[in-house]
Amino acid sequence: MSNTHSATPVRELGADSPAKGLICRNCNATYDLIAQHACWQCFGPLEVDYDQAELAKVTREQIEAGPQNIWRYAPLLPVGVHPEDRVSLNPGLTPLIDAKNLAKALGMRKLWVKDDSANPTHSFKDRVVSTAVSAAIKLGFDRFACASTGNLANSVAAHAARAGVPSIVFIPHDLEPGKIVQSAIYGGKLVAVQGSYDDVNRLCSELTETDDFETTAFVNVNIRPYYAEGSKTLGYEVAEQLGWRLPEQVVVPMASGELLTKIHKAFEESAEIGLTEPGKVRVFGAQSAGCSPIADAFAEGTDVITPVKPTGIAKSLNIGDPAAGPYAIEACRSTGGGMAKVTDDEIREGVRLLAATTGVFAETAGGVVVATLRKLLESGQLDPEAETVIYNTGEGLKTLDAVSSLVGPTHTVKPSLKAAKEAGLLES
Ligand SMILES: *Cc1c(COP(=O)(O)O)cnc(C)c1O
Ligand SMILES: [Zn+2]
């Protein structure tokens, strides 16, 4: 395989990184750092396995001296610490906002919003794509691809454009216009599939088996273990931004459930290797009622996920057959957390409330999180006195249509002082 782009790697995958291989989450079978996502023995999902002694050497000072982006955590990731080994838009170090007004509105003592809409393509997906495509180049792939609910396609196409690598991204045909345009503008192939995300995902899995796609890296399919690791930076980063402390509760949106699982893993790891004091973070998962296979399984007390056909406005979370669902359930159960699901109207109201109290305009996934926070407080599952972080994972301008019927000009006036006065604008 040839690497013709500008970031031809100089080191093998795993060199200068604590990653020692892949491990099956199900049966613990181990593998080299290869392009493989399912266990050959039991079909369980593979994840990156680290040398714990190497991780334990990483210090706060080392991280703080690193770049102002996710690569400050490179000593905890699989792709190595050398900038020339990376293919990246350099996402990360997004704001952690002290949400005083939102806390007050909800009767909470201390609430933070981690605003990941501030990433280069305006969603948290830049984190996972940066780690995935950096690994992809080292594994000898020469084209980037994905099965996407929208934000992933935006990020993969943008990373490919920056690196000068061809891309082909697959989306359900009925995505929000903002996400379709943003995927297309970077060039590359954009394939609108006449089906749901789960159909897109199945098609992409089949394509990876064909000769023509042999050198194509589907970031969330055939190299998924590397993709998933990028989500951990959303755990490390919150801990660092809190002054190397763990929060007491977090609320995380769920599509496949991977993000939640990896944030939980990052908190546990931070404590284990001494970056933070030991502490237990109660993890809460958020879904929309239009697609809630994980929250429903949690409510039923099982970890067997029954796939659904997704509906509703939270399209970025519309995965009907979520791969990491059982692991997300385990993370919430084992930490004394929980899950809830919210309706489209509650999601819209969540987007509005977040914007009106924090100045953060979230996409529908952020509305899911705020509405879920509210529901978990009302049901008494979430403690209003405990320090809480909620994750906004995407930008509101991408899903304008979802809230455009909710808001608009509060006044419309002719351009004269008289008209302004008549409209009541001179009474503050
Ligand atoms: C993809 C996505 C998620 C969740 O991702 P999973 O890891 O699949 O659970 C959350 N929010 C937004 C905006 C996303 O695009
Ligand atoms: Zn296995």
Side-chain angles (χ1 to χ4, degrees), residues 372-392:
T372 297
L373 170 69
R374 210 168 190 172
K375 197 156 270 189
L376 291 166
L377 283 165
E378 280 163 13
S379 66
Q381 293 178 74
L382 203 125
D383 178 2
E385 293 300 315
E387 185 171 25
T388 304
V389 176
I390 62 173
Y391 286 88
N392 173 41

PDB file of all heavy atoms in Angstrom, residues 372-392:
ATOM      1  N   THR A 372     -32.469  15.632  29.592  1.00  0.00           N
ATOM      2  CA  THR A 372     -32.247  14.437  30.424  1.00  0.00           C
ATOM      3  C   THR A 372     -31.794  14.838  31.827  1.00  0.00           C
ATOM      4  O   THR A 372     -32.254  14.269  32.827  1.00  0.00           O
ATOM      5  CB  THR A 372     -31.211  13.509  29.759  1.00  0.00           C
ATOM      6  OG1 THR A 372     -31.740  13.053  28.512  1.00  0.00           O
ATOM      7  CG2 THR A 372     -30.879  12.305  30.634  1.00  0.00           C
ATOM      8  N   LEU A 373     -30.905  15.822  31.894  1.00  0.00           N
ATOM      9  CA  LEU A 373     -30.470  16.341  33.204  1.00  0.00           C
ATOM     10  C   LEU A 373     -31.692  16.740  34.030  1.00  0.00           C
ATOM     11  O   LEU A 373     -31.826  16.372  35.201  1.00  0.00           O
ATOM     12  CB  LEU A 373     -29.547  17.554  32.979  1.00  0.00           C
ATOM     13  CG  LEU A 373     -29.175  18.383  34.208  1.00  0.00           C
ATOM     14  CD1 LEU A 373     -28.265  17.586  35.143  1.00  0.00           C
ATOM     15  CD2 LEU A 373     -28.481  19.681  33.786  1.00  0.00           C
ATOM     16  N   ARG A 374     -32.579  17.475  33.395  1.00  0.00           N
ATOM     17  CA  ARG A 374     -33.793  17.941  34.043  1.00  0.00           C
ATOM     18  C   ARG A 374     -34.637  16.773  34.562  1.00  0.00           C
ATOM     19  O   ARG A 374     -35.103  16.765  35.697  1.00  0.00           O
ATOM     20  CB  ARG A 374     -34.577  18.695  32.980  1.00  0.00           C
ATOM     21  CG  ARG A 374     -35.394  19.762  33.516  1.00  0.00           C
ATOM     22  CD  ARG A 374     -35.888  20.606  32.366  1.00  0.00           C
ATOM     23  NE  ARG A 374     -36.494  21.769  32.951  1.00  0.00           N
ATOM     24  CZ  ARG A 374     -36.897  22.812  32.270  1.00  0.00           C
ATOM     25  NH1 ARG A 374     -36.736  22.848  30.965  1.00  0.00           N
ATOM     26  NH2 ARG A 374     -37.441  23.821  32.882  1.00  0.00           N
ATOM     27  N   LYS A 375     -34.816  15.789  33.697  1.00  0.00           N
ATOM     28  CA  LYS A 375     -35.626  14.627  34.046  1.00  0.00           C
ATOM     29  C   LYS A 375     -35.004  13.841  35.203  1.00  0.00           C
ATOM     30  O   LYS A 375     -35.704  13.394  36.109  1.00  0.00           O
ATOM     31  CB  LYS A 375     -35.775  13.733  32.804  1.00  0.00           C
ATOM     32  CG  LYS A 375     -36.896  12.752  32.911  1.00  0.00           C
ATOM     33  CD  LYS A 375     -37.394  12.309  31.537  1.00  0.00           C
ATOM     34  CE  LYS A 375     -38.516  13.202  31.010  1.00  0.00           C
ATOM     35  NZ  LYS A 375     -39.133  12.658  29.786  1.00  0.00           N
ATOM     36  N   LEU A 376     -33.701  13.679  35.169  1.00  0.00           N
ATOM     37  CA  LEU A 376     -33.014  12.918  36.218  1.00  0.00           C
ATOM     38  C   LEU A 376     -33.053  13.658  37.552  1.00  0.00           C
ATOM     39  O   LEU A 376     -33.074  13.043  38.623  1.00  0.00           O
ATOM     40  CB  LEU A 376     -31.563  12.655  35.816  1.00  0.00           C
ATOM     41  CG  LEU A 376     -31.345  11.679  34.647  1.00  0.00           C
ATOM     42  CD1 LEU A 376     -29.911  11.769  34.144  1.00  0.00           C
ATOM     43  CD2 LEU A 376     -31.672  10.245  35.061  1.00  0.00           C
ATOM     44  N   LEU A 377     -33.077  14.988  37.498  1.00  0.00           N
ATOM     45  CA  LEU A 377     -33.221  15.785  38.726  1.00  0.00           C
ATOM     46  C   LEU A 377     -34.637  15.619  39.274  1.00  0.00           C
ATOM     47  O   LEU A 377     -34.829  15.398  40.474  1.00  0.00           O
ATOM     48  CB  LEU A 377     -32.955  17.265  38.441  1.00  0.00           C
ATOM     49  CG  LEU A 377     -31.491  17.693  38.290  1.00  0.00           C
ATOM     50  CD1 LEU A 377     -31.413  19.078  37.653  1.00  0.00           C
ATOM     51  CD2 LEU A 377     -30.763  17.671  39.629  1.00  0.00           C
ATOM     52  N   GLU A 378     -35.607  15.720  38.387  1.00  0.00           N
ATOM     53  CA  GLU A 378     -37.010  15.604  38.806  1.00  0.00           C
ATOM     54  C   GLU A 378     -37.302  14.251  39.430  1.00  0.00           C
ATOM     55  O   GLU A 378     -38.061  14.149  40.384  1.00  0.00           O
ATOM     56  CB  GLU A 378     -37.938  15.843  37.606  1.00  0.00           C
ATOM     57  CG  GLU A 378     -38.126  17.324  37.290  1.00  0.00           C
ATOM     58  CD  GLU A 378     -38.696  17.563  35.883  1.00  0.00           C
ATOM     59  OE1 GLU A 378     -39.170  16.598  35.253  1.00  0.00           O
ATOM     60  OE2 GLU A 378     -38.647  18.724  35.449  1.00  0.00           O
ATOM     61  N   SER A 379     -36.694  13.200  38.873  1.00  0.00           N
ATOM     62  CA  SER A 379     -36.969  11.853  39.391  1.00  0.00           C
ATOM     63  C   SER A 379     -36.097  11.523  40.602  1.00  0.00           C
ATOM     64  O   SER A 379     -36.187  10.425  41.151  1.00  0.00           O
ATOM     65  CB  SER A 379     -36.736  10.818  38.291  1.00  0.00           C
ATOM     66  OG  SER A 379     -35.368  10.779  37.952  1.00  0.00           O
ATOM     67  N   GLY A 380     -35.225  12.463  40.968  1.00  0.00           N
ATOM     68  CA  GLY A 380     -34.394  12.249  42.152  1.00  0.00           C
ATOM     69  C   GLY A 380     -33.199  11.344  41.925  1.00  0.00           C
ATOM     70  O   GLY A 380     -32.484  11.006  42.871  1.00  0.00           O
ATOM     71  N   GLN A 381     -32.943  10.955  40.679  1.00  0.00           N
ATOM     72  CA  GLN A 381     -31.786  10.081  40.422  1.00  0.00           C
ATOM     73  C   GLN A 381     -30.474  10.840  40.479  1.00  0.00           C
ATOM     74  O   GLN A 381     -29.444  10.305  40.851  1.00  0.00           O
ATOM     75  CB  GLN A 381     -31.925   9.430  39.038  1.00  0.00           C
ATOM     76  CG  GLN A 381     -33.073   8.457  38.944  1.00  0.00           C
ATOM     77  CD  GLN A 381     -33.163   7.893  37.536  1.00  0.00           C
ATOM     78  OE1 GLN A 381     -32.365   7.064  37.135  1.00  0.00           O
ATOM     79  NE2 GLN A 381     -34.124   8.362  36.779  1.00  0.00           N
ATOM     80  N   LEU A 382     -30.521  12.101  40.058  1.00  0.00           N
ATOM     81  CA  LEU A 382     -29.317  12.924  40.021  1.00  0.00           C
ATOM     82  C   LEU A 382     -29.356  13.872  41.220  1.00  0.00           C
ATOM     83  O   LEU A 382     -30.395  14.468  41.508  1.00  0.00           O
ATOM     84  CB  LEU A 382     -29.298  13.696  38.696  1.00  0.00           C
ATOM     85  CG  LEU A 382     -27.935  14.159  38.214  1.00  0.00           C
ATOM     86  CD1 LEU A 382     -27.689  13.637  36.807  1.00  0.00           C
ATOM     87  CD2 LEU A 382     -27.851  15.660  38.219  1.00  0.00           C
ATOM     88  N   ASP A 383     -28.242  13.987  41.902  1.00  0.00           N
ATOM     89  CA  ASP A 383     -28.172  14.778  43.125  1.00  0.00           C
ATOM     90  C   ASP A 383     -27.887  16.252  42.798  1.00  0.00           C
ATOM     91  O   ASP A 383     -26.824  16.566  42.263  1.00  0.00           O
ATOM     92  CB  ASP A 383     -27.058  14.188  44.012  1.00  0.00           C
ATOM     93  CG  ASP A 383     -26.856  14.969  45.302  1.00  0.00           C
ATOM     94  OD1 ASP A 383     -27.601  15.945  45.536  1.00  0.00           O
ATOM     95  OD2 ASP A 383     -25.943  14.596  46.068  1.00  0.00           O
ATOM     96  N   PRO A 384     -28.816  17.161  43.132  1.00  0.00           N
ATOM     97  CA  PRO A 384     -28.606  18.580  42.793  1.00  0.00           C
ATOM     98  C   PRO A 384     -27.453  19.218  43.563  1.00  0.00           C
ATOM     99  O   PRO A 384     -26.953  20.271  43.172  1.00  0.00           O
ATOM    100  CB  PRO A 384     -29.942  19.234  43.171  1.00  0.00           C
ATOM    101  CG  PRO A 384     -30.580  18.323  44.160  1.00  0.00           C
ATOM    102  CD  PRO A 384     -30.099  16.933  43.810  1.00  0.00           C
ATOM    103  N   GLU A 385     -27.019  18.586  44.637  1.00  0.00           N
ATOM    104  CA  GLU A 385     -25.931  19.132  45.454  1.00  0.00           C
ATOM    105  C   GLU A 385     -24.557  18.690  44.958  1.00  0.00           C
ATOM    106  O   GLU A 385     -23.537  19.248  45.339  1.00  0.00           O
ATOM    107  CB  GLU A 385     -26.091  18.686  46.922  1.00  0.00           C
ATOM    108  CG  GLU A 385     -27.305  19.279  47.623  1.00  0.00           C
ATOM    109  CD  GLU A 385     -27.247  20.805  47.657  1.00  0.00           C
ATOM    110  OE1 GLU A 385     -26.162  21.353  47.972  1.00  0.00           O
ATOM    111  OE2 GLU A 385     -28.263  21.452  47.339  1.00  0.00           O
ATOM    112  N   ALA A 386     -24.505  17.664  44.110  1.00  0.00           N
ATOM    113  CA  ALA A 386     -23.218  17.107  43.667  1.00  0.00           C
ATOM    114  C   ALA A 386     -22.707  17.852  42.432  1.00  0.00           C
ATOM    115  O   ALA A 386     -23.489  18.237  41.554  1.00  0.00           O
ATOM    116  CB  ALA A 386     -23.381  15.622  43.367  1.00  0.00           C
ATOM    117  N   GLU A 387     -21.394  18.052  42.371  1.00  0.00           N
ATOM    118  CA  GLU A 387     -20.790  18.755  41.234  1.00  0.00           C
ATOM    119  C   GLU A 387     -20.995  17.947  39.950  1.00  0.00           C
ATOM    120  O   GLU A 387     -20.617  16.781  39.875  1.00  0.00           O
ATOM    121  CB  GLU A 387     -19.299  18.970  41.481  1.00  0.00           C
ATOM    122  CG  GLU A 387     -18.633  19.792  40.392  1.00  0.00           C
ATOM    123  CD  GLU A 387     -17.198  20.185  40.759  1.00  0.00           C
ATOM    124  OE1 GLU A 387     -16.552  19.482  41.571  1.00  0.00           O
ATOM    125  OE2 GLU A 387     -16.732  21.199  40.219  1.00  0.00           O
ATOM    126  N   THR A 388     -21.581  18.592  38.948  1.00  0.00           N
ATOM    127  CA  THR A 388     -22.026  17.876  37.752  1.00  0.00           C
ATOM    128  C   THR A 388     -21.461  18.507  36.483  1.00  0.00           C
ATOM    129  O   THR A 388     -21.394  19.725  36.374  1.00  0.00           O
ATOM    130  CB  THR A 388     -23.576  17.899  37.691  1.00  0.00           C
ATOM    131  OG1 THR A 388     -24.092  17.338  38.900  1.00  0.00           O
ATOM    132  CG2 THR A 388     -24.102  17.108  36.497  1.00  0.00           C
ATOM    133  N   VAL A 389     -21.055  17.660  35.536  1.00  0.00           N
ATOM    134  CA  VAL A 389     -20.629  18.124  34.208  1.00  0.00           C
ATOM    135  C   VAL A 389     -21.576  17.524  33.175  1.00  0.00           C
ATOM    136  O   VAL A 389     -21.814  16.317  33.176  1.00  0.00           O
ATOM    137  CB  VAL A 389     -19.182  17.692  33.889  1.00  0.00           C
ATOM    138  CG1 VAL A 389     -18.801  18.093  32.455  1.00  0.00           C
ATOM    139  CG2 VAL A 389     -18.193  18.295  34.890  1.00  0.00           C
ATOM    140  N   ILE A 390     -22.115  18.378  32.299  1.00  0.00           N
ATOM    141  CA  ILE A 390     -22.886  17.864  31.167  1.00  0.00           C
ATOM    142  C   ILE A 390     -22.113  18.153  29.876  1.00  0.00           C
ATOM    143  O   ILE A 390     -21.403  19.150  29.773  1.00  0.00           O
ATOM    144  CB  ILE A 390     -24.318  18.452  31.105  1.00  0.00           C
ATOM    145  CG1 ILE A 390     -24.301  19.974  30.929  1.00  0.00           C
ATOM    146  CG2 ILE A 390     -25.100  18.061  32.348  1.00  0.00           C
ATOM    147  CD1 ILE A 390     -25.683  20.567  30.688  1.00  0.00           C
ATOM    148  N   TYR A 391     -22.255  17.257  28.934  1.00  0.00           N
ATOM    149  CA  TYR A 391     -21.501  17.365  27.683  1.00  0.00           C
ATOM    150  C   TYR A 391     -22.381  17.880  26.557  1.00  0.00           C
ATOM    151  O   TYR A 391     -23.381  17.257  26.218  1.00  0.00           O
ATOM    152  CB  TYR A 391     -20.921  15.999  27.295  1.00  0.00           C
ATOM    153  CG  TYR A 391     -19.734  15.596  28.151  1.00  0.00           C
ATOM    154  CD1 TYR A 391     -19.902  14.908  29.352  1.00  0.00           C
ATOM    155  CD2 TYR A 391     -18.439  15.921  27.761  1.00  0.00           C
ATOM    156  CE1 TYR A 391     -18.811  14.545  30.133  1.00  0.00           C
ATOM    157  CE2 TYR A 391     -17.343  15.555  28.535  1.00  0.00           C
ATOM    158  CZ  TYR A 391     -17.535  14.873  29.718  1.00  0.00           C
ATOM    159  OH  TYR A 391     -16.450  14.515  30.490  1.00  0.00           O
ATOM    160  N   ASN A 392     -21.977  19.029  25.972  1.00  0.00           N
ATOM    161  CA  ASN A 392     -22.577  19.435  24.696  1.00  0.00           C
ATOM    162  C   ASN A 392     -21.635  19.009  23.581  1.00  0.00           C
ATOM    163  O   ASN A 392     -20.519  19.510  23.473  1.00  0.00           O
ATOM    164  CB  ASN A 392     -22.810  20.934  24.611  1.00  0.00           C
ATOM    165  CG  ASN A 392     -23.270  21.300  23.210  1.00  0.00           C
ATOM    166  OD1 ASN A 392     -24.085  20.561  22.633  1.00  0.00           O
ATOM    167  ND2 ASN A 392     -22.749  22.352  22.642  1.00  0.00           N
TER     168      ASN A 392
END
